[in-house]
Amino acid sequence: MIPQLKVGGLQPLTTLDYPERLAAVVFCQGCPLRCRYCHNPELLPRNADPGIPWDEVLAFLDSRRDLLDAVVFSGGEPTQQLALPGAIAEVRALGYEIGLHTSGVYPRRLEKLLPLLDWVGLDLKALPEHYPALTGMPESGTLAWRSARLLESSGVSFQLRTTYHPSLMPDAQRLGLEQRLDDFRNAQHVWQTCRTGHCLDEGLMAQPGV
């Protein structure tokens, strides 16, 4: 039996999650990271019951083929699920462009997915050595930066995004990151505001963001 994608939620329409496209967002269940500023902590448990059966997601997307341009797989961390390639293939067969939001912590899986993708938003959270304090996962920074280099040489359109909170990234770390990002000649980088109204680290909720 082919495993089905575990879906924790579905956003039926967005203009923000895929540049210059009307898109739906499929939120995949499960993530190996425990980022302190994560604003979707309900999506972290890998074995949680799926919120929406995959067949229902496909039926919805089939009904919106004349209204939407793209579908973005987000999370959680979509590449943690082995069912992702098959799910992407099913959605692409409906005629959609495919976007992916990823932390990049599974670079080998990302590399295999690249032929199926039209656009990738990669969360490049910090310099590699500063990742564990943010994510709780050793070597997560090395893996994420490896994914960034894969994207750079892939030919797939991509964007690097960094969530900023002053208490998590001192000025010196931010400057160091900006300098390292200059090495990516063809990549767009955006700073994202840390949303502290609902995040994994409750201590951040009492602190102002940016």
Side-chain angles (χ1 to χ4, degrees), residues 24-112:
V25 182
V26 176
F27 291 97
C28 302
Q29 189 71 44
C31 182
L33 306 181
R34 294 298 181 265
C35 299
R36 294 176 60 188
Y37 48 62
C38 177
H39 60 272
N40 289 325
E42 67 280 359
L43 293 173
L44 297 180
R46 184 175 184 175
N47 295 319
D49 292 334
I52 308 174
W54 176 240
D55 289 345
E56 291 184 16
V57 175
L58 276 180
F60 169 80
L61 295 175
D62 187 41
S63 72
R64 295 298 190 274
R65 282 195 282 178
D66 295 330
L67 302 174
L68 299 173
D69 305 309
V71 175
V72 178
F73 290 84
S74 188
E77 173 48 54
T79 60
Q80 188 180 51
Q81 292 198 43
L82 297 180
L84 181 64
I88 288 176
E90 289 182 282
V91 174
R92 181 173 282 283
L94 295 176
Y96 287 107
E97 293 183 35
I98 303 295
L100 176 71
H101 291 173
T102 180
S103 64
V105 294
Y106 296 106
R108 291 183 180 177
R109 296 183 187 183
L110 176 61
E111 185 174 23
K112 291 179 180 180

Side-chain angles (χ1 to χ4, degrees), residues 10-189:
L10 175 68
Q11 184 172 347
L13 177 64
T14 175
T15 60
L16 301 176
D17 292 275
Y18 190 127
E20 300 180 355
R21 298 290 188 273
L22 292 176
V25 182
V26 176
F27 291 97
C28 302
Q29 189 71 44
C31 182
L33 306 181
R34 294 298 181 265
C35 299
R36 294 176 60 188
Y37 48 62
C38 177
H39 60 272
N40 289 325
E42 67 280 359
L43 293 173
L44 297 180
R46 184 175 184 175
N47 295 319
D49 292 334
I52 308 174
W54 176 240
D55 289 345
E56 291 184 16
V57 175
L58 276 180
F60 169 80
L61 295 175
D62 187 41
S63 72
R64 295 298 190 274
R65 282 195 282 178
D66 295 330
L67 302 174
L68 299 173
D69 305 309
V71 175
V72 178
F73 290 84
S74 188
E77 173 48 54
T79 60
Q80 188 180 51
Q81 292 198 43
L82 297 180
L84 181 64
I88 288 176
E90 289 182 282
V91 174
R92 181 173 282 283
L94 295 176
Y96 287 107
E97 293 183 35
I98 303 295
L100 176 71
H101 291 173
T102 180
S103 64
V105 294
Y106 296 106
R108 291 183 180 177
R109 296 183 187 183
L110 176 61
E111 185 174 23
K112 291 179 180 180
L113 285 173
L114 288 173
L116 299 174
L117 303 176
D118 299 290
W119 177 83
V120 177
L122 174 65
D123 291 328
L124 207 58
K125 303 175 185 295
L127 291 173
E129 60 267 28
H130 299 142
Y131 257 71
L134 286 174
T135 67
M137 178 180 171
E139 302 302 322
S140 53
T142 299
L143 296 169
W145 281 77
R146 188 180 303 164
S147 289
R149 293 302 182 189
L150 281 172
L151 287 171
E152 185 181 34
S153 61
S154 71
V156 175
S157 179
F158 72 102
Q159 181 185 77
L160 304 175
R161 300 100 57 84
T162 305
T163 300
Y164 174 71
H165 192 286
S167 70
L168 299 180
M169 185 180 291
D171 290 344
Q173 289 186 19
R174 178 166 178 162
L175 178 60
L177 177 60
E178 289 176 337
Q179 291 173 339
R180 186 80 65 86
L181 288 169
D182 287 341
D183 293 341
F184 292 91
R185 299 297 182 185
N186 299 317
Q188 179 192 23
H189 175 260

